[in-house]
Structures are given as C-alpha cells and as structure tokens.
Amino acid sequence: MARQKIICDCDPGHDDAIAILLAANSPDLELLGLTIVAGNQTLENTGRNACHVLQWLGREQIPVYTGCGRPMVRDRVTAGDIHGKTGLDGPVFPPLRKAPEGEHAVSYLIRTLLASEGDITVVTSGPMTNLGMALRMEPRIAEKIQRIVLMGGSYTNGNVTPAAEFNILADPEAAHVCFTSGRPITMIGLDVTRKVLCYPEIVERMAKAGNCASRLFVDLMKHFCKAQKEVFGWEGGPLHDPVTIACLLDPGLVSTKPMNVQIDLSHGPSYGRTNCDAFGYLGLPATADVAVDIDADRFWDIIEDGLRRYGETEARA
Ligand code: BDR
Ligand code: CA
C-alpha cells in the first residue's frame, strides 16, 4: 500500500520532537518535509531545534523550511515555561550540520500542494500561521489538501487561559482561516492529549529500547515532565503532538465526533477558544472531527514501536 504523504508543520518543542521522531521513520508515512513556525519559541529556535532532531536521528535528508516568525494579527506568545529558553531544553546535541532550506515554508506549502494529486495530509502541531498564510496567499491549495490533522484546541479547558489551548491562542486568526477552509479537519485537542500522560514508568519503559531515539525521548521527557509538574501539577507530561501522527498510523486509536467548531476571535477572555458544538445546539454543519477519546495503552505501544525502529547505527550523534 502507498505510504501516506504528510507535511508536518511544527514548532519544536519537546512533544513536537517526538511527533517528528515518529513520522520520520514510519514505513506507513512519507514525510515530505517539515515546515517550521514560531510558537513554543522564536522561529530561529524552533528551526534550529527541528534540524537538531533530524540530525540526531540520522534523518538529515528530510528538508526543513522555516516560515512565519509572528502570528497573523496578535502579538507573539511563546511557551518558555514548558519548553525552556531554547524551546528544546534538556538534550545536549552535537554541533549542527543541518540547516533549513532557503525557501520560505509558506512558498513550499503552496508549491508542493499545488503540484500534488491531492494526496497530502498536512499535520500541524504548532500555531497554524504557515498554513493559514498559505491558504490566504493561494486559495487554490485548499482543494489539494487531503486532510488537516492538528494538535490544538479543546472542547473543555484551555492550558494557557481557562478557555484556550496554546497552539490556537498563539494565532487564533490563522486557526480561523484553516477551520473555514472547507477541508476535512481532525482536531486533536487537550481533551484527549491530557489522557496520555508520560509517567516515570513510561519513561523507564521507553529507555529500554536503548538506541538513539530512546535516549532522545528520555532526555526530552526529563525536562518536559518536570516543567509540566511545576506549571500544572501533573505527575507526567501530556504528550500532545505525537497523537496526530499516532492516529494516522492507527486510525482507530482516537475516537472522534463531527462538530461545528468556531474559533473565538473576540479578544475577550475566551480569545482563541475552539467553540465545539458537541451537542449540535447551533444546528450548523460539522466543520471538524473532534477527538473525544483515546486508547492510551495503544498510544504508548505506537510510541515504543516508533522508537524501536531506529537502529543504533542510524544515529549521526
Ligand atoms: C501544544 O502547545 C505546545 O506547547 C505543545 O508543543 C503542543 O503543540 C499543547 O497545547
Ligand atoms: Ca507543538
């Protein structure tokens, strides 16, 4: 069977790094490229982090394109409290050889999607600025996007404000553009990602894979879980972003419900909230499949399989 083509648009980020790790070595996925956005940290940091992760994993052939350094309308927000000063605090990487390509991420998205046969899924795990910009600059790409799978939003509580989740709050206007694009959308929100908490016993289990990928996982999770405990009091950090890739690998992993989703653009206390009409109060057509549940055990099996697929010799570290 043909491998599913994907582009990962991300802001690495500890959990983005695990999503990249999973996508970059899967026999079922063809990772065409990473498009990078400012989010967890500045664009300079997130672009560098993406290159570090691919180089560490021996996947330098996957191209990285840096894109938008600022949101469409609002001021920039970062998540230094969770991801640290570099955006990927914890692991110590060797000197960087890999660099981003010269082309802007938005041009790459437009060029690649226009030239495609409509068979590319765009996975976003950061603010949706790059994809939103691409849709505004070249609306013809909309029909070429097979599906958008995003980590973002929540139909319950937020994680930056009571109402809003980070990726959506960091660029609500871009999220609005994507959610109104008319393309099939799968929204993986906090409602499910908070069910995959990376407890110490999970870290121990993944460490046993004993290769370059598992070492990266452990080093990332040490920082990430400590920060999550300090900020939210969780005993294990929610591994948000890899759920997007895991549900491509195992479509039954996450249960979804079609809902009308509207992004709050009001600049009030709910700015950036994903208003998900779970009960159909509004009588409006569904605009996204919203994740409502996840099989956490299966999720950790997918993560472990992904880690174990990396051989020791593949690391260029
Ligand atoms: C999202 O925000 C970022 O900090 C994480 O990388 C994830 O994409 C969770 O709200
Ligand atoms: Ca992210």
Side-chain angles (χ1 to χ4, degrees), residues 29-193:
L29 300 176
E30 184 181 350
L31 177 56
L32 301 177
L34 300 183
T35 51
I36 307 299
V37 67
N40 286 324
Q41 262 300 344
T42 61
L43 186 66
E44 197 191 354
N45 281 329
T46 55
R48 195 185 50 236
N49 293 341
C51 292
H52 270 307
V53 170
L54 290 176
Q55 183 179 308
W56 178 270
L57 295 170
R59 289 292 177 275
E60 286 167 78
Q61 72 278 14
I62 297 170
V64 170
Y65 300 86
T66 51
C68 298
R70 295 199 169 265
M72 280 187 177
V73 176
R74 67 158 304 151
D75 291 340
R76 189 172 66 197
V77 285
T78 57
D81 55 341
I82 299 291
H83 301 272
K85 264 199 198 132
T86 62
L88 209 56
D89 280 13
V92 179
F93 293 106
L96 197 52
R97 293 185 303 271
K98 183 171 169 62
E101 309 296 310
E103 186 178 9
H104 193 280
V106 173
S107 315
Y108 168 76
L109 281 166
I110 292 173
R111 177 174 64 81
T112 310
L113 287 163
L114 278 185
S116 78
E117 287 169 15
D119 56 351
I120 300 174
T121 289
V122 181
V123 178
T124 70
S125 60
M128 302 181 89
T129 321
N130 286 339
L131 185 57
M133 280 291 197
L135 281 160
R136 279 295 188 253
M137 277 178 70
E138 181 43 277
R140 287 179 303 156
I141 65 168
E143 64 194 31
K144 293 286 197 163
I145 300 173
Q146 187 173 53
R147 181 155 66 121
I148 300 169
V149 178
L150 74 129
M151 190 283 133
S154 162
Y155 63 86
T156 51
N157 302 310
N159 61 354
V160 187
T161 68
E165 181 277 333
F166 178 80
N167 288 339
I168 306 297
L169 183 68
D171 198 341
E173 284 74 17
H176 168 79
V177 172
C178 296
F179 273 84
T180 53
S181 66
R183 299 315 296 157
I185 297 184
T186 304
M187 177 182 127
I188 308 289
L190 297 173
D191 321 290
V192 295
T193 65

Side-chain angles (χ1 to χ4, degrees), residues 299-314:
F299 174 75
W300 295 119
D301 289 347
I302 292 170
I303 296 288
E304 186 178 356
D305 285 352
L307 292 177
R308 286 190 183 278
R309 259 195 304 274
Y310 286 88
E312 190 51 48
T313 51
E314 285 167 314

